[in-house]
Amino acid sequence: MKLAQFLIVLFVFLSMGSSAQNDTLKVLFLGNSYTAYNNLPQLVSSLADADDKQLIYDSYTPGGTLLWNFANNENTAQQLDTTAMHKIKSENWDFVILQEQSQVPTIDHYRYNFMYPSVMKLKDSISHYTPCAKIMMFMTWGRQNGGQQCSPDNYCSPDFVDFSHMQDSLESAYLGAAEAINACVAPVGIAWKNIIENTNTVLHSTDQSHPNYRGSYLAACVFHAALWNSSPVGNTFTGNLNNTEANSLQTSADSTVFDAFSKWNLDAYEVTADFNFNVFHDSVAFTNLSQSRSPVNYYWDFGDGNIDTVKTPTHIYTSNGSFTVRLIADYCSSRDTTEKTINISTTKSVEHHFKENFEIFPNPATSNLVIHNNGTKKGTVKIELMNTLGQIVITRRETTAQNINISLNDLPAGFYIVSIRDEFSGSKANFKILKK
């Protein structure tokens, strides 16, 4: 593919997607009353508006609902169009946020037999219906005074001595769920813990379980930081709080998210472009070292007017010089670019004439490769096969008979470079083959 074609492909690729991370996000909230109280999604949206961003959201938050109900498409509202699975299918979400029922993570029986299997099942459904969506676990908070949590069928948690003791259990459960599916975490409960342990601010409502407005506002600040990778400190949306109170909650959310950014796995969906290469005369074997989730797209610009979109290409240059090779790795709306310089130094005019004397067939090959000599005078040639890692896997010295047979039986399938070098004149020719 030539550079002009590449630029067209690249333009289309960069134009793809319904939203840009810096401007607009589409977010689906799946949870229960902890998400619904004080209309948490709208609070997150208001913070975004004040930061010149746009949050397009939907939510499904029936009171008391478990992720198990969502994962198994149990319709608690008895309306087909409000099931969690219908919501997942309805849009190409940038994020899907999962919030478990508040007691389930603290009870081992429910954590391991209900919460974790549900998270994995929901991950499969989200990946199937909206493959570019990032999954974020909404880490909730403990009861105001701790205490023992028991289910109707008499499975119980430890008897937590206070809020912080219960919060430790919730933290462990949500981090475990995120690790199981390599998702990220919105550490709302930890922001609550930092406020409760260091100030006199009350975040619970009178039932000692649900959030009051301050608690929901703090949660919204955590989501703002986690979703946008943007500090909420100084945000002009303060709701019904005074500036001092809002700034304190904004600051707690900021430090909670960004002081332990990797702990919350908030870079789980980032992509890093990287590669190395091995130069073999005029041929270069590239090794793709990029790190990203699937589906990932690769765009190679070899610096000589040619490009490729395979993961690990091999490229033959037709002139001497220094070439800047660029690799773009793209995962959904995340992309990264890296460049490296390659120096090619060969005697092209002589080699081009030398190369015309040989044919290689079949290509693709299976078990045997034939090098057919059309005109080179008898002499000794050195034949080498190099894999895409730059490793020489076959070396032969042959008299330039009309046909030279090379067995490929011991080689794995893949692309190889065949190098033929005249040991008298130094002339050489390279060919790219595919072994099936």
Side-chain angles (χ1 to χ4, degrees):
M1 189 182 295
K2 294 295 183 179
L3 184 57
Q5 294 172 288
F6 170 71
L7 293 175
I8 294 172
V9 171
L10 184 59
F11 175 79
V12 173
F13 147 65
L14 292 175
S15 302
M16 289 172 58
S18 57
S19 61
Q21 178 74 17
N22 292 330
D23 301 314
T24 304
L25 288 177
K26 294 182 178 180
V27 179
L28 174 63
F29 293 83
L30 297 178
N32 49 57
S33 56
Y34 273 33
T35 298
Y37 253 54
N38 303 307
N39 199 348
L40 174 60
Q42 181 56 51
L43 294 177
V44 180
S45 179
S46 297
L47 287 167
D49 290 341
D51 201 19
D52 294 324
K53 307 181 191 304
Q54 182 183 19
L55 184 77
I56 299 171
Y57 71 87
D58 197 359
S59 62
Y60 182 49
T61 57
T65 303
L66 280 65
L67 291 180
W68 178 269
N69 303 126
F70 297 153
N72 293 281
N73 207 26
E74 294 179 4
N75 186 2
T76 56
Q78 299 301 313
Q79 295 177 7
L80 182 61
D81 61 350
T82 58
T83 61
M85 206 58 61
H86 178 82
K87 298 284 189 182
I88 291 170
K89 297 177 184 179
S90 67
E91 184 60 78
N92 290 322
W93 302 107
D94 294 303
F95 282 90
V96 176
I97 294 171
L98 304 179
Q99 178 241 313
E100 182 59 278
Q101 192 272 347
S102 60
Q103 297 163 295
V104 163
T106 68
I107 302 171
D108 282 352
H109 173 77
Y110 277 91
R111 178 193 299 193
Y112 295 107
N113 294 293
F114 288 83
M115 179 182 181
Y116 286 0
S118 299
V119 166
M120 289 187 280
K121 190 170 182 179
L122 284 167
K123 183 259 184 185
D124 290 341
S125 296
I126 294 166
S127 297
H128 177 73
Y129 291 113
T130 178
C132 283
K134 303 172 184 178
I135 300 175
M136 180 176 287
M137 302 302 303
F138 175 0
M139 183 196 298
T140 56
W141 49 85
R143 296 291 197 268
Q144 189 168 11
N145 298 310
Q148 190 173 49
Q149 313 301 313
C150 293
S151 67
D153 46 359
N154 293 321
Y155 288 102
C156 294
S157 73
D159 189 3
F160 299 113
V161 298
D162 57 15
F163 166 85
S164 294
H165 188 200
M166 184 174 179
Q167 189 57 50
D168 290 342
S169 179
L170 288 164
E171 178 181 2
S172 172
Y174 275 100
L175 288 177
E179 182 180 2
I181 61 170
N182 196 20
C184 53
V185 177
V188 174
I190 303 304
W192 273 52
K193 183 179 179 182
N194 293 335
I195 286 288
I196 289 172
E197 290 183 346
N198 294 290
T199 73
N200 295 321
T201 303
V202 176
L203 302 176
H204 292 86
S205 65
T206 55
D207 67 3
Q208 301 184 354
S209 171
H210 289 87
N212 61 22
Y213 188 86
R214 288 185 296 271
S216 293
Y217 182 84
L218 176 56
C221 289
V222 170
F223 276 112
H224 183 82
L227 289 170
W228 301 100
N229 192 18
S230 176
S231 174
V233 175
N235 193 290
T236 57
F237 172 72
T238 59
N240 62 19
L241 306 176
N242 62 51
N243 288 338
T244 300
E245 195 170 32
N247 184 260
S248 174
L249 299 176
Q250 292 171 359
T251 301
S252 177
D254 178 275
S255 60
T256 300
V257 171
F258 295 113
D259 288 356
F261 195 83
S262 60
K263 181 177 182 179
W264 316 127
N265 208 25
L266 290 168
D267 55 359
Y269 295 89
E270 295 303 310
V271 57
T272 301
D274 191 18
F275 67 92
N276 63 20
F277 57 89
N278 288 285
V279 179
F280 192 74
H281 305 310
D282 58 352
S283 300
V284 182
F286 294 92
T287 302
N288 196 327
L289 303 176
S290 302
Q291 296 183 1
S292 177
R293 296 188 179 220
S294 181
V296 60
N297 296 309
Y298 298 107
Y299 303 85
W300 294 87
D301 178 353
F302 298 117
D304 64 348
N306 291 284
I307 67 100
D308 209 337
T309 55
V310 299
K311 180 179 180 181
T312 304
T314 299
H315 184 62
I316 299 175
Y317 286 87
T318 59
S319 62
N320 298 335
S322 294
F323 301 91
T324 299
V325 178
R326 179 171 65 154
L327 169 63
I328 301 174
D330 167 69
Y331 166 75
C332 297
S333 61
S334 298
R335 62 185 62 93
D336 189 37
T337 304
T338 188
E339 295 181 350
K340 296 184 181 181
T341 300
I342 291 176
N343 295 307
I344 301 295
S345 179
T346 60
T347 310
K348 290 296 174 181
S349 59
V350 175
E351 288 182 5
H352 180 73
H353 178 72
F354 180 73
K355 185 173 183 178
E356 288 182 334
N357 292 325
F358 294 93
E359 293 180 68
I360 292 187
F361 58 87
N363 189 11
T366 52
S367 60
N368 192 61
L369 189 70
V370 177
I371 301 174
H372 179 69
N373 178 12
N374 289 322
T376 297
K377 295 180 181 179
K378 286 189 176 181
T380 302
V381 292
K382 183 178 182 181
I383 300 170
E384 294 179 326
L385 265 71
M386 178 181 68
N387 62 20
T388 56
L389 299 177
Q391 301 167 328
I392 305 299
V393 293
I394 291 179
T395 300
R396 294 266 295 273
R397 280 182 171 82
E398 295 282 351
T399 301
T400 51
Q402 187 172 22
N403 290 314
I404 300 169
N405 293 289
I406 306 291
S407 174
L408 305 179
N409 286 325
D410 295 331
L411 298 182
F415 285 100
Y416 294 87
I417 296 294
V418 179
S419 173
I420 306 170
R421 184 179 183 88
D422 188 307
E423 295 200 322
F424 175 75
S425 68
S427 298
K428 57 185 178 295
N430 293 332
F431 300 85
K432 183 177 180 180
I433 68 162
L434 172 63
K435 199 266 183 169
K436 299 174 70 175

